[in-house]
Amino acid sequence: MEDHWDLVGRAVRAFREEIRERPVATDVAAAELREDLDRTFGDFAVGRPLPEVVRHVSRMMRDGNVQTTHPRYFGLFNPAVLPAAEAGEALAAAWNPQLAVWSHAPAANEIERHTLRFFLRRFGFDPDAAAASFTTGGAEANLSAVLAALARAFPAWAEEGLAALPGPVGIYLSAESHDSFDKVARMTGLGRGALRAIPVDASFSMDPARLEARLARDRQRGRRPLMVVGTAGTTSAGAVDPLDDLGRIAREAGAWFHVDAAWGGVAALVPRLARVLAGIERADSVTFDAHKGLSVPMGAGMFLCRDPDAVARAFSVRASYMPGSVRDTTDPYLTSVQWSRRFIGMKVFAVLAELGESGLAAILERQADLGDRLRERLLAAGWRVVSDTPLPLVCFTHPRIEAGEIGVHEVARRVLDSGRAWVSVVRPGEPPVLALRACITSFETTDEDLAILVSTLDASV
């Protein structure tokens, strides 16, 4: 039997060697994939040799997906994966430690703790006086923030639930904030009515004056501000809310200040971009996703919180069957949404350990430079850039689109059908600005890839 590590390694290596010559996306039908699986594997009544399974799945993954690790995938926040992160993920799978309690996985828990302390410092927290945990992603981290805010604002909430609230509460966030808060509002029982969407300005950032006006109006009507959410890197346009102003307003209103920096938090590691996060040090909590900007596999979110007591009130439980806690350590099941949990942080640790902060910053700096050069190329080719962000994300349109001669979705479809690149369509702002969106997500993207993207766009209008 072939060694399974060597088998998988050869499959991955072959894909990496040919990826530039392959289309970014291929048109595949669900019926075709289902027929293939039924024909080859059926109902699993009979097993298959592992080499055959690996080869078949590798072919399906090669031919049946949008290739988010492709250098010309300019889509959502799905980066190419660094070799160190792949190794870290493999080590986590092979040892398979259970991180619910410290005593079951001392080494794994301490590796995660060491890694989280690095990010706490970078976002302005005191690592000796804060709480932090790895999460499945930004949605879980945002949920954790709302639960911690409820625990601090309403001490009886943990026992009595929403009945402990004296009346309706508000979560104040940008109209461009992540839609995970819609789910969070429902999961917590607060309901969508608790979400108070604040209009954005011309740069697609939250307008502080309108936030203050909405807070005053809601207070007069008996709604208590629970949380103000600042977004650092909106999904549509990469906008960063004025965090310093929002932090001040939240403090004056007696509200929890949360910063959703799931993607834009990478700016904290790039000296010339760090200024865009000014004010994040005011945050009570921060969401950050390593799997969006640090070239590690999904999922690798983080929840960072200034108030460990609120976290404990939100998540602590008594379970007689769990091993006892060890002094001067943290049991993750007592401080997070998850109970059983895989070794999420290993892949993030591996990247930092191999590259160091300076090496990782150099990769991110290069991607930011490519974003600047993409703006320059688009403008030189007659396109109009409609977003204003120093992060490597560009929203743009064309005079022919604005004149109604061709639709923006048609342009995007032509780019995708070419197989040469992948871009998306977004509608930031109110009234919405319909635009194409390109984000630099791969550390392997080059200037030549930018040239191919722009030439493909030109051919599509």
Side-chain angles (χ1 to χ4, degrees):
M1 177 180 172
E2 296 180 80
D3 180 82
H4 61 291
W5 288 115
D6 186 52
L7 189 66
V8 172
R10 287 205 306 274
V12 172
R13 188 161 52 249
F15 177 66
R16 281 183 176 273
E17 289 172 353
E18 66 179 11
I19 191 169
R20 281 188 175 278
E21 309 307 318
R22 297 191 60 80
V24 183
T26 52
D27 188 15
V28 59
E32 178 185 344
L33 293 170
R34 292 168 186 171
E35 181 183 352
D36 181 16
L37 289 166
D38 287 340
R39 181 177 60 252
T40 307
F41 300 104
D43 60 0
F44 304 111
V46 177
R48 298 276 184 173
L50 182 57
E52 181 182 331
V53 175
V54 171
R55 281 192 289 269
H56 195 92
V57 172
S58 297
R59 179 186 59 76
M60 290 186 71
M61 297 295 284
R62 182 193 66 201
D63 299 335
N65 284 316
V66 173
Q67 303 303 337
T68 55
T69 62
H70 197 292
R72 291 192 298 279
Y73 172 79
F74 298 101
L76 307 178
F77 305 128
N78 301 309
V81 179
L82 287 163
E86 292 176 348
E89 192 78 316
L91 289 169
W95 264 266
N96 198 31
Q98 165 58 280
L99 270 72
V101 293
W102 188 93
S103 62
H104 254 55
N109 271 298
E110 288 302 311
I111 286 171
E112 287 204 341
R113 176 181 177 274
H114 189 78
T115 307
L116 289 166
R117 286 172 65 85
F118 168 82
F119 289 102
L120 283 167
R121 287 190 292 269
R122 292 302 169 272
F123 288 116
F125 292 85
D126 177 355
D128 294 320
S133 61
F134 279 101
T135 68
T136 53
E140 182 191 331
N142 289 337
L143 171 63
S144 300
V146 174
L147 294 174
L150 283 166
R152 186 174 76 179
F154 307 105
W157 162 79
E159 294 298 326
E160 301 174 18
L162 298 184
L165 276 59
V169 300
I171 298 174
Y172 297 81
L173 67 183
S174 158
E176 292 295 309
S177 64
H178 195 268
D179 291 321
S180 61
F181 282 99
D182 185 296
K183 289 186 178 183
V184 168
R186 285 179 280 159
M187 286 189 287
T188 56
L190 295 173
R192 290 178 176 143
L195 301 179
R196 321 303 280 173
I198 308 302
V200 297
D201 58 22
S203 65
F204 308 122
S205 300
M206 190 195 298
D207 186 332
R210 291 188 175 185
L211 169 62
E212 291 183 298
R214 186 61 180 272
L215 280 164
R217 188 163 66 248
D218 278 0
R219 274 200 213 91
Q220 291 176 349
R221 297 173 181 176
R223 187 178 292 274
R224 175 171 171 170
L226 173 68
M227 174 182 282
V228 173
V229 179
T231 304
T234 60
T235 303
S236 292
V240 178
D241 290 337
L243 303 180
D244 202 45
D245 288 339
L246 301 192
R248 172 186 56 80
I249 293 168
R251 186 181 65 250
E252 292 171 354
W256 185 284
F257 180 40
H258 177 66
V259 177
D260 183 354
W263 173 63
V266 294
L269 302 178
V270 184
R272 77 173 175 92
L273 295 182
R275 60 180 173 77
V276 306
L277 298 181
I280 199 169
E281 67 280 357
R282 292 179 177 266
D284 292 293
S285 56
V286 170
T287 286
F288 178 60
D289 283 351
H291 64 253
K292 283 186 170 68
L294 300 188
S295 300
V296 306
M298 292 180 277
M302 298 176 214
F303 172 59
L304 314 175
C305 183
R306 197 175 300 281
D307 189 345
D309 291 336
V311 171
R313 288 197 295 273
F315 300 115
S316 63
V317 293
R318 291 190 182 96
S320 61
Y321 50 84
M322 296 298 287
S325 295
V326 177
R327 190 174 64 85
D328 195 33
T329 68
T330 299
D331 288 334
Y333 87 101
L334 297 173
T335 57
S336 67
V337 171
Q338 297 180 62
W339 202 291
S340 296
R341 184 168 69 72
R342 89 187 299 269
F343 190 6
I344 294 173
M346 181 59 217
K347 51 200 168 192
V348 186
F349 173 86
V351 167
L352 282 168
E354 185 199 27
L355 298 179
E357 182 179 7
S358 60
L360 188 55
I363 290 175
L364 297 171
E365 175 87 32
R366 179 176 171 278
Q367 289 179 220
D369 288 343
L370 286 170
D372 293 339
R373 293 204 285 277
L374 177 57
R375 292 182 189 90
E376 295 168 0
R377 283 182 177 274
L378 287 166
L379 291 169
W383 294 78
R384 185 171 76 86
V385 174
V386 301
S387 59
D388 179 22
T389 175
L391 300 174
L393 186 156
V394 188
C395 294
F396 53 97
T397 187
H398 192 274
R400 290 198 65 214
I401 295 174
E402 294 181 303
E405 297 173 19
I406 187 170
V408 66
H409 286 93
E410 174 62 18
V411 175
R413 186 192 63 78
R414 291 180 180 181
V415 172
L416 268 58
D417 287 350
S418 74
R420 304 182 78 206
W422 201 101
V423 295
S424 57
V425 175
V426 292
R427 298 168 59 89
E430 189 58 48
V433 176
L434 197 59
L436 294 157
R437 172 191 181 279
C439 181
I440 311 297
T441 64
S442 173
F443 60 89
E444 294 185 324
T445 299
T446 65
D447 279 299
E448 182 182 353
D449 293 313
L450 300 185
I452 291 172
L453 170 62
V454 175
S455 67
T456 305
L457 285 163
D458 287 343
S460 299
V461 292

